[in-house]
Amino acid sequence: MSIPSPVSLIGMPQGAEWLVILAIVVLVFGAAKLPDLARGTGQALRIFKAETKGLRDEDDTEQNPDRTAELEGGEEPAEGEIVEPRRDTNAG
């Protein structure tokens, strides 16, 4: 006899269950607040995606230094070429 895993005991809601969840959300927040709730959720998701993309790009440049020049839009220096450090023009 095998014990079912917790993941198999909890499944995604199906058709009628989504309707019950939607009805509860409408009762809790009210119909007038739903557009604001959806807008806020969308903004949060966009910010989350942008931040995770930034972290992935940062990890790529740390793991692959050759990719740094590609992401910065510059060209790789030739072999043996002396390169001065890049200065940030926005630094105060």
Side-chain angles (χ1 to χ4, degrees), residues 13-60:
Q14 299 299 314
E17 295 166 349
W18 279 113
L19 292 175
V20 171
I21 292 170
L22 181 62
I24 292 171
V25 168
V26 169
L27 288 173
V28 170
F29 293 105
K33 296 284 184 183
L34 287 180
D36 293 335
L37 181 66
R39 190 176 303 115
T41 303
Q43 288 175 346
L45 285 174
R46 279 193 296 276
I47 292 169
F48 180 75
K49 285 182 182 179
E51 290 297 323
T52 54
K53 183 182 183 304
L55 289 174
R56 269 183 286 181
D57 290 346
E58 191 175 289
D59 286 344
D60 287 347

Side-chain angles (χ1 to χ4, degrees), residues 65-70 72-86:
D66 295 337
R67 182 140 161 71
T68 305
E70 294 173 19
E72 291 175 353
E75 295 180 10
E76 282 190 45
E79 187 174 331
E81 182 179 352
I82 299 174
V83 180
E84 292 185 25
R86 185 174 181 170

Side-chain angles (χ1 to χ4, degrees), residues 5-17:
S5 68
V7 176
S8 66
L9 295 176
I10 302 172
M12 287 295 296
Q14 299 299 314
E17 295 166 349

